Amino acid sequence: MLLNNIKEVREQIKEWKSSGLKIGLVPTMGALHAGHLSLMKKARETCDRVVVSVFVNPIQFGPSEDFDKYPRTLEADTKLCEREGVDIVFAPSADEMYGKGQRLSNDTLTYVCPPFFYVNKLCGKTRTGHFDGVCTVVLKLFNIIQPDFAFFGQKDAQQVVIVRKMVNDLNVPLQIVQCPIVREESGLALSSRNKYLSEEGKKEALVLSRILNNINLCFKKGITDVSALKETAYSFLTEKHDMEYLELVDKNTLEEKQQADADTIVLIACRVEGVRLIDNIYLGE
Ligand code: AMP
């Protein structure tokens, strides 16, 4: 069932809750692919009822980012959700989420701002305010749906750490479930933004997973010095790749590592054909 309106969603949720049903939420921005579907499958296995939100959240995009051209495919998304046995697709407008006429700025709207230590690095370094926008909309969705479980992809690893931190710090009564990255056979991590790439660009984009796999291989061979591990990336890069970051951090706290260990996650962001792509891997996997 496709719902656009908060009141209707709340009514349905209230009914389910009164019957003691466990509710799972999968927050998305739509343009659904097999990565999103894996979250829905996990939600289906874990919960009695599944809600998928489809909302391209304006406040998590910077002024020079792709909010206007972000792919919007609600009809196809709704069909995919139905096929996965999703009970509600919640696709509100920005007016429904933030209030009609509401100026979307932290001068006039309450934002949830995750701690500086978690946002002044990796994607947060160049995407100023991004995680404020994410946490704000995610907490709103948690308050509207009141799920018992919420499902997020490891693909956005910094996001999951930050959302977990918010849930913990603000005592939000639900459990976060992280699901593994779904990849094309080639190794390319699925992303709604892959739609922007040409065939040639998709091949060039394989550099992200190749760099990560190679670092993991070197780690498994016994190299733990982070500078040495990072240096292995250079041989993969050409002028087609505009690397934004390659970092090795603690998988739970995002603290930078000097020596890699089994708690290390390697994260990469790189532009190919102007498209910003991200990927990551847990060392030792
Ligand atoms: P998005 O629509 O890009 O905001 O993503 C919605 C959710 O799907 C997030 O929790 C993402 O981490 C997750 N997701 C996106 N791509 C993948 C993927 N390739 N594998 C697993 N989860 C993913």
Side-chain angles (χ1 to χ4, degrees), residues 27-29 33 35-36 39 70 152-153 155-156 159 180-182 190:
T28 82
M29 297 205 299
H33 51 64
H36 298 111
L39 305 189
Y70 196 84
F152 291 84
K155 167 79 179 5
D156 297 274
Q159 172 171 282
I181 301 177
V182 177
L190 296 184

Side-chain angles (χ1 to χ4, degrees), residues 22 31 33 41 50 52-53 60 78 91 105 107 114 119 122 134 144 151 159 162 210 221 244 254 267 274 276 283:
K22 291 271 170 256
H33 51 64
K41 286 193 176 86
V50 177
V52 172
S53 60
Q60 72 186 67
T78 309
S105 130
D107 296 337
V119 298
L122 306 167
V134 168
I144 293 165
F151 299 82
Q159 172 171 282
I162 288 174
R210 285 188 182 142
K221 282 184 183 157
E244 186 180 301
L254 304 181
L267 303 101
R276 188 174 179 282
L283 287 186

Side-chain angles (χ1 to χ4, degrees), residues 86 90 103-104 110 124 153 198 213 270 273:
V86 167
F90 176 48
R103 218 159 52 79
L104 300 180
T110 305
S198 70
N213 285 331
C270 182
E273 295 182 329

